[in-house]
Amino acid sequence: MNYLSSSRWLEKLLRSFLLLALGLMIPAIATAQTQPVTVTVTGDTGGADLPSRFLGLSYESSMLLPKDGRYYFDPDNQALINTFRTLGIKSLRVGANAVDDPRVPIPQAKDIDMLFSFARAAGVTVIYSFRLKNGDPADSARLASYIATHDGDALDSFAIGNEPSFYLPTFAAFFAQWKPHYDAILKAVPNAMFDGPSVAGKNIYAVDLAKAVSGEGHLAMASDHYYFLGSGREGEKDPPATRARFLSNNVDHNYEKAYANIGAVLAAQGVPYRIDELNSCYNGGAKDASDTYASTLWALDCTHWWAAHHILGMNYHTGEAVGRDGGFGAANYAAFVHQPDGHGFNMRPQAYAYLAFTQGAHGRPLGVEIQTDPAFNFNAYAYQDHDGSTYLTLINKSYGAKALSAAVSLQLPPNTGAGTWQQMDLAQSNQNVAAKTDITLGDAAIDAQGNWSGQWKRIEGGNSNTLTVQVAPASAIILHFSPAK
């Protein structure tokens, strides 16, 4: 063998060894990039169906007032009506900081009628707030009587004030101001129902108010507010770290503490409980976190967590302007905002969380057991609809350089039997949790007119109560199992 042929032989041999080594390494690499997860649906948790008006939005009462001669809540605004219906919004709460702000005029009859006309068109009921701080009980009663007479068909309940613990530091001080409005409204509208105290910080006021008046039969719900991820201005100082907090299962501990202190106590007393204002970070949210795809995955997970705990519902704060930094300004956490020309809406990332929740939350929440590495940021939720079908939402919040795909083995209750599976994917095109665009559900985006054409896909070969599915990093999959007829 001459030198040239020997050299070629060695090159060929080395290439063979290299290919063999790569062949051995690739399965190991694939395994290292995948996290096994077992999800077992354990059956009925004993709770009722998801309330029909569970998912809601919250707005400043200033949004009722006309701007440049035009109303935001306009029954002729088909794009806004479409958006509410597409996202599955069923509750509309108006109040927030503006309701107690002396700089904001109190809405009057025409403003109120426009709001309720929109509510009828959008298929929502309204939680309507009156001014408590330096407010006039007689004026609250006058407006309540007007609403009951003209718009009662679209009214959920009345509320009085917003986050009163920030200016009334004890429950006794709060109740002394709140009760005259309550009494005056009941005198004018004897069958009135109330939501309260819409409190933040000293959330125990919700339990105290339930003890004080729930026996009178006029408390539709006790309510409080949460911004589980802290200050928007603080979150903006380090957006990557803030997004990491959005996507960590550690935030569940905040939910657990809040539920134990308020929700579980009210449930034991038989008092309906609603979080009538919440979002990620207070003061309008954190730029480059609350307005990113990270907020989509956070809000989807958060909404399902509270639904699984059988509360009455939750209203995410949004709007063209919200209370922030001592005044009012643009909200980083807004679900959607008007396009610059005023026609139609720019859908923000969080809108897709509401849409995905609506597609996957039907019927009664079911128990779910998850087995995986505790450090893996994955969650799963399940529901059983009235037709016997099961919906599951699988959320993989792993992302970035250390992202892991979830290899999920699903098991429905043993008595489920055979059936067929469909799936719908929530994704950002580059699995980029810092992105603010290019998000789809069911391979479709929501357009500026509030329309969405996403589709379910049949899973071929899925014909039993077990299934194996891959959930990509920074994504969610909604599954629908239909039992065989």
Side-chain angles (χ1 to χ4, degrees):
M1 182 181 295
N2 61 31
Y3 175 78
L4 184 60
S5 62
S6 174
S7 220
R8 286 175 177 169
W9 179 82
L10 284 171
E11 183 182 345
K12 184 176 180 181
L13 183 63
L14 286 170
R15 188 182 297 115
S16 297
F17 275 120
L18 182 60
L19 289 172
L20 177 61
L22 284 171
L24 293 172
M25 288 173 62
I26 287 171
I29 293 170
T31 301
Q33 293 175 336
T34 301
Q35 175 63 46
V37 181
T38 300
V39 174
T40 304
V41 180
T42 59
D44 190 355
T45 61
D49 282 5
L50 186 75
S52 60
R53 303 199 180 277
F54 183 89
L55 185 59
L57 293 178
S58 165
Y59 283 85
E60 304 285 340
S61 61
S62 52
M63 295 292 291
L64 276 63
L65 303 172
K67 184 177 181 180
D68 300 325
R70 299 180 63 181
Y71 283 93
Y72 180 87
F73 293 114
D74 185 334
D76 294 327
N77 189 341
Q78 193 59 49
L80 187 58
I81 291 168
N82 292 345
T83 299
F84 268 60
R85 290 186 175 275
T86 293
L87 299 185
I89 305 303
K90 297 296 184 182
S91 172
L92 173 57
R93 177 251 183 177
V94 292
N97 283 7
V99 76
D100 280 336
D101 193 317
R103 296 169 294 183
V104 178
I106 294 173
Q108 298 300 313
K110 184 178 179 181
D111 312 317
I112 290 169
D113 285 341
M114 290 294 285
L115 168 70
F116 279 93
S117 294
F118 168 82
R120 293 184 192 94
V124 300
T125 57
V126 175
I127 300 170
Y128 192 91
S129 303
F130 300 111
R131 182 161 295 176
L132 175 63
K133 188 176 184 181
N134 298 319
D136 179 358
D139 197 47
S140 295
R142 175 183 65 83
L143 293 171
S145 178
Y146 181 87
I147 292 170
T149 301
H150 295 86
D151 300 303
D153 59 313
L155 175 68
D156 181 311
S157 54
F158 296 124
I160 305 164
N162 179 72
E163 299 180 355
S165 60
F166 289 123
Y167 56 89
L168 296 169
T170 67
F171 178 76
F174 156 72
F175 194 66
Q177 287 199 24
W178 185 90
K179 188 67 159 47
H181 289 261
Y182 171 82
D183 290 339
I185 291 170
L186 278 178
K187 185 175 180 180
V189 186
N191 62 347
M193 299 298 292
F194 293 83
D195 162 29
S198 303
V199 69
K202 296 180 180 178
N203 299 63
I204 195 65
Y205 284 19
V207 174
D208 293 337
L209 185 64
K211 290 178 181 177
V213 300
S214 63
E216 298 176 15
H218 294 284
L219 189 65
M221 65 197 86
S223 62
D224 58 1
H225 299 172
Y226 292 100
Y227 288 83
F228 289 107
L229 292 153
S231 163
R233 301 296 78 75
E234 285 298 312
E236 290 169 352
K237 293 178 180 178
D238 189 349
T242 302
R243 293 192 295 270
R245 290 192 295 111
F246 277 42
L247 297 168
S248 171
N249 277 357
N250 287 336
V251 72
D252 292 2
H253 301 313
N254 296 343
Y255 309 154
E256 290 162 2
K257 182 178 179 180
Y259 181 75
N261 290 340
I262 307 299
V265 176
L266 290 168
Q269 296 174 359
V271 177
Y273 168 56
R274 188 176 194 97
I275 305 175
D276 68 3
E277 181 184 321
L278 82 154
N279 218 300
S280 54
C281 300
Y282 61 86
N283 267 337
K287 187 177 183 294
D288 297 326
S290 299
D291 54 354
T292 68
Y293 180 56
S295 75
T296 309
L297 298 175
W298 165 75
L300 177 60
D301 196 355
C302 178
T303 311
H304 274 297
W305 193 97
W306 286 96
H309 285 72
H310 304 287
I311 72 169
L312 187 61
M314 49 208 309
N315 295 71
Y316 282 91
H317 204 45
T318 191
E320 305 290 319
V322 300
R324 55 171 292 179
D325 308 319
F328 297 91
N332 294 302
Y333 51 55
F336 46 85
V337 294
H338 267 121
Q339 292 187 330
D341 64 4
H343 299 292
F345 293 89
N346 288 325
M347 295 297 152
R348 297 280 188 81
Q350 209 155 296
Y352 288 88
Y354 311 151
L355 178 63
F357 176 81
T358 297
Q359 304 311 305
H362 299 276
R364 184 172 64 255
L366 301 176
V368 174
E369 292 180 356
I370 302 171
Q371 293 178 302
T372 192
D373 184 334
F376 186 51
N377 292 311
F378 177 93
N379 272 327
Y381 303 92
Y383 301 78
Q384 186 171 65
D385 207 355
H386 294 160
D387 62 1
S389 63
T390 302
Y391 289 84
L392 293 104
T393 296
L394 312 177
I395 309 170
N396 182 359
K397 297 179 288 183
S398 172
Y399 71 98
K402 298 181 180 180
L404 299 174
S405 178
V408 181
S409 298
L410 287 170
Q411 176 66 61
L412 300 184
N415 61 351
T416 303
T420 58
W421 291 89
Q422 294 176 298
Q423 85 175 58
M424 184 180 289
D425 298 340
L426 172 67
Q428 199 281 330
S429 59
N430 297 310
Q431 299 178 351
N432 181 6
V433 299
K436 300 181 182 182
T437 59
D438 299 319
I439 302 167
T440 57
L441 179 67
D443 296 322
I446 310 166
D447 70 21
Q449 297 303 309
N451 300 307
W452 171 71
S453 58
Q455 299 293 322
W456 292 94
K457 294 180 180 177
R458 183 185 175 98
I459 300 176
E460 299 301 330
N463 56 7
S464 71
N465 64 344
T466 62
L467 185 71
T468 300
V469 63
Q470 292 280 332
V471 186
S475 76
I477 290 180
I478 305 168
L479 296 167
H480 180 210
F481 176 80
S482 298
K485 301 297 183 183

